[in-house]
């Protein structure tokens, strides 16, 4: 009876021992193929990065040995991450990267975006269960080496790999159709030592799984899929997710004390600690239909909002000002639509874009919050658009995005509207230039060239970029699924080190 009790106890406890806690965003961590030396995975919550350790003879021939951190996913998705080996390594063909796999079996069909220890970067696959992988028939080699960012996207049966060096745009490496891959698959990050007697290590960060939508997707009609509120150090590129919701929220501002963020959701404004935590609603009085154009005065005392008045032209967006601590808003713009975008450094004037009279294009306007007429600073022509206007901290320039060159680019002008100067020159569409508090940097969002020039939709493959105000080429600092609501308003931290933004993703 004693032995029967022990056996029964072990049987009841077994599920508890076999169940594994989620590591970061991944519910499963496992050695595939029974390598001689065990691997592992860990997650640093504060730094939001993973450490992978793994052994294994290879990921090749008819079977594989490696350590895998993964989730089971159905349908289309985009998997992106930064990778870095730890230590010099033993074999130049040690591998780390992204893997999509049909099952946990060691001979399962799979496709991988793999970074080798010697910098070789490839898209490789096993077409059928138990099939021998061939060199070079089952590989696509990248034109460069030592990529730091890898991306693997699934669209039906087609799998596409992109990669980038730090600071550069994603580059297409290649794609392959996996006819036998099922709808429900495994996806995650992996490491292999290419030596069964050695355990290798790698650091992985900025891991994101995004759910793409159709190009004609209309979130207003079909519903919003979900958002993440993120912060990022613009110089290290390290991103942190501090809030998620399976619905819509947008456009964070960094509060003057550096401790909280302000963002809009469901027509209201909310604050949240920079490290994450409970959200708290800000009192905006009667203004309960606020959009994503809001921001804080240079002295940190006032808040400008854009609230929709029902029954007014163009949706009724109207600029108001209220104390940052909360209170009743004061009307600034009688005419609509008016969308706030910037404060003057003396805290007396606001910049906004508006459409007036019979004119069908938006222009940049300026108005003193203590009275007086609004002043038009641009005169757009049919088919043109301007947006995202804000002052430099020294008050010498107004930065904005405009399409007068044929594509949406960044521009600046003097405070009276004269001296227009184009700042970016590329095939993509650049929006919403935001000046760092120290005046040295411009952060902005870049939309793909195929997006209509005057449009900035959500749920698109976009990049966040950084360029010096003194001149120089922009560099990419983040790759994400986003767009409208990502970085519409000033979002720099007071120390000019970080920005906050919203990325889009459904589940």
């Amino acid at each position: 009876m004693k032995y029967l009790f022990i056996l029964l106890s072990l049987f009841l406890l077994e599920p508890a021992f076999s169940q594994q806690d989620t590591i970061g965003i991944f519910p499963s961590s496992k050695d595939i193929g029974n390598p001689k030396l065990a691997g592992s995975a860990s997650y640093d919550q504060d730094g939001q990065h993973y450490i992978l350790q793994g052994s294994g003879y290879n990921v090749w021939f008819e079977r594989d040995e490696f350590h895998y951190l993964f989730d089971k996913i159905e349908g289309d998705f985009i998997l992106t991450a930064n990778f870095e080996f730890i230590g010099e390594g033993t074999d130049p063909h040690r591998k780390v990267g992204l893997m999509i796999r049909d099952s946990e079996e060691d001979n399962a069909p799979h496709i991988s975006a793999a970074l080798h220890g010697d910098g070789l970067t490839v898209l490789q696959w096993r077409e059928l269960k138990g099939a021998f992988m061939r060199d070079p028939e089952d590989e696509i080699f990248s034109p460069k080496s030592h990529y730091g960012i890898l991306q693997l996207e699934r669209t039906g049966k087609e799998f596409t790999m992109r990669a980038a060096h730090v600071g550069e745009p994603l580059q297409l490496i290649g794609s392959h159709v996996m006819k036998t891959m099922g709808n429900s698959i495994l996806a995650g990050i992996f490491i292999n030592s290419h030596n069964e007697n050695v355990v290798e290590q790698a650091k992985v960060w900025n891991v994101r799984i995004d759910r793409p939508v159709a190009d004609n997707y209309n979130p207003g009609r079909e519903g919003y899929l979900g958002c993440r509120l993120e912060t990022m150090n613009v110089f290290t590129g390290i991103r942190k997710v501090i809030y998620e919701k399976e619905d819509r929220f947008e456009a964070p501002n960094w509060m003057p004390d550096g401790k909280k963020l302000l963002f809009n959701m469901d027509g209201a404004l909310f604050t949240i600690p920079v490290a994450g935590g409970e959200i708290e609603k800000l009192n905006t009085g009667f203004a309960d239909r606020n959009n994503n154009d809001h921001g804080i005065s240079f002295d940190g005392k006032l808040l400008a909002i854009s609230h929709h008045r029902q029954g007014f032209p163009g949706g009724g967006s109207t600029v108001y000002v209220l104390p940052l601590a909360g209170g009743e808003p004061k009307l600034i713009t009688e005419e609509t639509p008016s969308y706030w975008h910037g404060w003057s450094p003396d805290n007396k004037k606001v910049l906004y874009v508006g459409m007036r009279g019979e004119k069908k294009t938006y222009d940049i306007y300026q108005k003193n919050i203590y009275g007086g007429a609004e002043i038009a600073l641009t005169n757009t022509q049919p088919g043109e658009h301007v947006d995202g206007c804000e002052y430099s901290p020294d008050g010498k320039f107004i930065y904005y995005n405009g399409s007068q060159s044929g594509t949406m680019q960044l521009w600046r002008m003097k405070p009276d509207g004269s001296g227009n100067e184009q700042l970016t020159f590329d095939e993509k569409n650049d929006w919403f230039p935001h000046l760092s508090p120290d005046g040295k940097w411009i952060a902005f969002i870049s939309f793909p060239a195929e997006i209509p020039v005057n449009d900035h939709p959500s749920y698109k493959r976009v990049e966040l970029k950084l360029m010096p105000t003194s001149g120089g080429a922009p560099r990419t600092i983040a790759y994400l699924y986003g767009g409208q609501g990502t970085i519409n308003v000033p979002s720099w931290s007071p120390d000019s080190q970080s920005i906050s933004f919203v990325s889009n993703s459904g589940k």
Side-chain angles (χ1 to χ4, degrees):
M1 187 69 182
K2 175 182 177 182
Y3 295 111
L4 179 60
F5 176 77
I6 293 173
L7 288 171
L8 181 59
S9 299
L10 289 172
F11 175 76
L12 291 173
L13 286 172
E14 190 275 332
F17 284 118
S18 63
Q19 186 175 2
Q20 188 162 17
D21 293 333
T22 297
I23 300 176
I25 63 172
F26 297 106
S28 300
S29 177
K30 184 178 181 180
D31 279 330
I32 301 296
N34 194 31
K36 182 178 178 180
L37 301 178
S40 65
S42 62
Y43 181 68
D44 182 291
Q45 182 63 49
D46 291 335
Q48 295 195 4
H49 66 259
Y50 302 83
I51 299 296
L52 294 182
Q53 298 187 81
S55 183
Y57 90 99
N58 204 351
V59 178
W60 199 250
F61 299 117
E62 84 286 7
R63 69 176 189 89
D64 309 317
E65 291 182 355
F66 62 97
H67 191 79
Y68 197 25
L69 187 57
F70 62 94
D71 193 6
K72 180 175 286 188
I73 302 178
E74 294 185 0
D76 296 343
F77 59 89
I78 306 170
L79 177 58
T80 312
N82 289 58
F83 293 89
E84 181 181 73
F85 284 107
I86 298 174
E88 292 298 321
T90 300
D91 193 289
H93 290 295
R94 58 179 173 160
K95 301 178 185 69
V96 68
L98 309 171
M99 181 180 290
I100 298 172
R101 199 169 183 89
D102 198 55
S103 75
E104 297 177 22
E105 295 179 274
D106 65 355
N107 61 353
H110 76 83
I111 188 163
S112 306
L115 171 65
H116 294 234
D118 62 359
L120 177 68
T121 312
V122 297
L123 178 66
Q124 59 183 51
W125 58 85
R126 177 180 295 114
E127 196 77 48
L128 301 170
K129 181 178 179 180
F132 271 73
M133 296 173 67
R134 302 162 298 167
D135 183 5
E137 291 87 352
D138 296 329
E139 297 172 292
I140 296 177
F141 292 86
S142 63
K144 301 178 183 178
S145 63
H146 296 95
Y147 289 89
I149 301 104
L150 303 179
Q151 184 179 92
L152 197 52
E153 178 176 2
R154 174 179 184 164
T155 307
K157 299 288 187 180
E158 185 175 25
F159 297 83
T160 301
M161 177 184 173
R162 303 177 187 90
H165 296 93
V166 174
E168 297 180 1
L170 285 168
Q171 179 180 3
L172 176 66
I173 304 303
S175 61
H176 181 70
V177 175
M178 298 284 288
K179 296 179 181 179
T180 62
M181 195 72 80
N183 182 56
S184 178
I185 49 81
L186 310 180
I189 55 180
F190 78 96
I191 187 168
N192 160 264
S193 67
H194 205 269
N195 185 323
E196 62 179 7
N197 297 310
V198 172
V199 174
E200 295 285 4
Q201 295 186 77
K203 179 180 177 181
V204 190
W205 66 102
N206 292 347
V207 181
R208 300 292 184 270
I209 300 176
D210 296 315
R211 292 290 199 165
V213 296
D215 289 340
N216 62 352
Y217 178 77
N218 185 328
R221 183 179 65 246
E222 301 175 56
Y224 293 100
L225 299 183
C227 292
R228 308 183 194 97
L229 180 57
E230 303 194 40
T231 62
M232 177 179 61
N233 184 302
V234 299
F235 303 110
T236 67
I238 295 175
R239 297 161 54 178
K240 296 183 180 180
V241 177
I242 67 166
Y243 180 67
E244 294 183 84
K245 184 181 179 181
E246 286 301 298
D247 206 338
R248 186 71 164 178
F249 60 84
E250 301 173 303
N253 305 122
W254 214 294
M255 297 289 273
D257 62 5
K259 297 178 180 179
K260 291 185 177 181
L261 300 176
L262 176 74
F263 64 97
N264 65 286
M265 180 171 63
D266 301 328
L269 294 177
F270 295 85
T271 61
I272 186 172
V274 169
E278 294 297 319
I279 66 172
E280 184 177 352
K281 189 174 181 180
L282 183 75
N283 174 24
T284 57
F286 62 82
D288 58 359
R289 301 180 68 221
N290 297 297
N291 60 46
N292 57 30
D293 293 323
H294 44 78
I296 302 163
S297 59
F298 278 82
D299 62 7
K301 296 179 180 180
L302 298 174
L303 173 66
I305 60 175
S306 302
H307 160 71
H308 291 271
R309 290 187 285 170
Q310 289 184 323
F312 282 75
S317 182
T318 305
V319 177
Y320 295 83
V321 169
L322 65 150
L324 181 58
E328 286 299 312
K330 171 188 173 182
L331 178 69
I332 303 299
T333 59
E334 289 282 357
E335 292 191 69
T336 64
S338 300
Y339 295 90
W340 177 89
H341 277 284
W343 281 95
S344 62
D346 63 5
N347 311 295
K348 295 179 180 179
K349 298 182 285 293
V350 288
L351 291 171
Y352 51 95
V353 296
M355 191 182 294
R356 299 292 182 258
E358 298 300 316
K359 195 172 183 180
K360 300 302 181 183
T361 58
Y362 281 89
D363 278 298
I364 296 173
Y365 292 86
Q366 179 176 264
K367 189 174 183 181
N368 193 305
I369 64 172
Y370 299 107
E374 67 180 16
I375 300 171
L377 299 178
T378 61
N379 182 24
T380 51
Q381 301 304 303
E384 294 180 357
H385 182 76
V386 292
D387 214 327
C389 44
E390 66 178 66
Y391 268 97
S392 59
D394 60 11
K396 293 182 179 180
F397 295 101
I398 292 172
Y399 288 76
Y400 68 98
N401 56 278
S403 62
Q404 55 266 46
S405 68
T407 57
M408 188 62 75
Q409 301 295 319
L410 302 190
W411 295 72
R412 70 179 182 183
M413 59 184 172
K414 295 179 181 179
D416 62 1
S418 65
N420 282 267
E421 178 185 1
Q422 188 174 344
L423 302 177
T424 58
F425 303 83
D426 57 51
E427 77 282 1
K428 294 190 175 183
N429 294 304
D430 300 329
W431 287 72
F432 303 130
H434 300 309
L435 280 290
S436 59
D438 63 11
K440 295 180 179 180
W441 301 97
I442 309 169
F444 62 97
I445 186 170
S446 188
F447 287 82
E450 61 267 22
I451 300 296
V453 63
N454 293 335
D455 198 8
H456 55 295
S458 53
Y459 301 104
K460 298 298 179 183
R461 295 164 181 80
V462 298
E463 296 177 354
L464 298 183
K465 294 185 177 181
L466 186 72
M467 64 183 295
T469 54
S470 59
R475 62 185 180 90
T476 302
I477 55 175
Y479 318 86
L480 59 138
Y481 209 57
Q484 171 70 290
T486 288
I487 190 171
N488 292 52
V489 294
S491 60
W492 279 90
S493 60
D495 63 4
S496 300
Q497 295 294 303
S498 301
I499 59 172
S500 57
F501 59 92
V502 171
S503 56
N504 301 142
S505 183
K507 289 187 176 179

